[in-house]
Amino acid sequence: MRYIRYAFLAALAVCLITVALANRGAVTLQLLPEGLTGFLGFSWTITLPLFIIIFGAIIAGVLIGFVWEWLREHKHRAEGARAKRSAAQLEREVKAIKTPESKTGDDVLALLEEAR
């Protein structure tokens, strides 16, 4: 299994290097369109190689997907936490019921003492 993982990582590395070498041309990214930059009075531009933009977009997409799934599964995690708390409470109650009473005596007196 380890060799399959290494072979997959090597093939992935070859693919990524090939994409990087094929897309070395510089690309200018602009935050806003031309018409809007004149209206607002500022413009943010950066010039990067295309492969950096491609890889950055892939990484950003994966991170957004992870966050989206984490938020979507919140209800399942909350339900699991509630079930865990409930199970712990029930376990404490069962232990309390199963423990032998150290007090020997009248049940009515024990009930009166618990009420205080």
Side-chain angles (χ1 to χ4, degrees):
M1 202 60 176
R2 181 174 32 182
Y3 295 122
I4 293 172
R5 183 177 63 196
Y6 290 150
F8 174 74
L9 290 176
L12 182 64
V14 167
C15 290
L16 292 176
I17 291 171
T18 303
V19 168
L21 290 175
N23 295 295
R24 291 182 295 179
V27 176
T28 302
L29 289 178
Q30 295 179 341
L31 181 63
L32 300 170
E34 290 287 328
L36 201 55
T37 58
F39 179 70
L40 293 178
F42 71 92
S43 174
W44 184 80
T45 61
I46 188 168
T47 303
L48 295 170
L50 181 60
F51 73 91
I52 291 179
I53 295 168
I54 292 171
F55 293 158
I58 291 170
I59 291 170
V62 168
L63 291 176
I64 289 170
F66 283 150
V67 169
W68 184 270
E69 279 299 306
W70 184 78
L71 292 173
R72 190 182 69 83
E73 293 172 352
H74 171 72
K75 61 182 174 186
H76 300 293
R77 289 192 310 273
E79 183 180 332
R82 279 192 300 271
K84 187 176 180 180
R85 282 192 303 270
S86 175
Q89 180 184 3
L90 290 173
E91 186 176 327
R92 285 191 303 269
E93 289 177 8
V94 167
K95 275 186 182 178
I97 291 172
K98 285 186 175 183
T99 55
E101 293 291 329
S102 60
K103 301 175 186 175
T104 56
D106 194 6
D107 290 338
V108 174
L109 292 176
L111 289 173
L112 291 174
E113 287 179 10
E114 286 181 11
R116 291 184 200 177

